[in-house]
């Protein structure tokens, strides 16, 4: 069981910056990747950025060069620094954590935060 709590969402003007954080608690020892998804009204949830424990990252093409994901393992916290924000970045951003399966035949565990609203005005 993992609990994820996001913070840092809010309203920002286009071109501005915003930083999100996600603090993990509970059974965090086996988490091997954390990242961010977002979902705008009427649209599917999409991957924004992900960071594996080994340091590899994955970004959506739409945010490459503008967003940066990082993690502080000591604090069990993952961050998303969002720069040069655009109105199309507006969405609810969800923190996600993943753990490998404990047993054969069981899928990986996924944990989700409550979401934090990011609104970018023009």
């Amino acid at each position: 069981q993992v609990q994820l709590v996001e913070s840092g969402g809010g309203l920002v003007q286009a071109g501005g910056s915003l930083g999100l954080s996600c603090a993990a608690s509970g059974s965090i020892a086996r988490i091997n990747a954390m990242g961010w998804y977002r979902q705008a009204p009427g649209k599917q949830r999409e991957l924004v950025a992900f960071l594996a424990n080994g340091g590899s990252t994955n970004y959506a093409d739409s945010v490459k060069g503008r967003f940066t994901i990082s993690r502080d393992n000591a604090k069990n916290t993952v961050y998303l620094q969002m720069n040069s924000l655009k109105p199309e970045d507006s969405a609810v951003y969800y923190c996600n954590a993943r753990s490998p399966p404990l047993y054969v035949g069981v899928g990986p565990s996924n944990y989700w935060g409550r979401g934090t609203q990011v609104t970018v005005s023009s």
Side-chain angles (χ1 to χ4, degrees):
Q1 185 79 294
V2 173
Q3 294 79 45
L4 303 172
V5 179
E6 305 99 330
S7 62
L11 175 65
V12 65
Q13 291 184 322
S17 298
L18 202 61
L20 306 181
S21 64
C22 172
S25 62
S27 301
I28 52 85
R30 286 178 48 80
I31 293 175
N32 62 9
M34 294 183 68
W36 296 89
Y37 287 74
R38 67 185 181 188
Q39 187 170 25
K43 298 181 180 179
Q44 64 182 12
R45 189 172 297 186
E46 64 175 347
L47 173 71
V48 177
F50 232 79
L51 174 63
N53 285 0
S56 61
T57 58
N58 186 36
Y59 293 94
D61 288 340
S62 60
V63 307
K64 286 182 178 178
R66 300 188 297 118
F67 291 12
T68 303
I69 188 170
S70 61
R71 184 176 179 181
D72 186 338
N73 290 323
K75 297 181 179 179
N76 302 125
T77 301
V78 65
Y79 305 92
L80 184 68
Q81 180 62 44
M82 305 183 292
N83 299 322
S84 301
L85 283 162
K86 305 174 181 179
E88 49 263 44
D89 294 318
S90 296
V92 176
Y93 284 70
Y94 296 92
C95 181
N96 174 257
R98 303 175 69 180
S99 299
L102 288 170
Y103 308 102
V104 174
V106 179
S109 296
N110 278 279
Y111 305 94
W112 296 93
R114 63 192 176 189
T116 184
Q117 177 70 50
V118 173
T119 302
V120 184
S121 62
S122 60

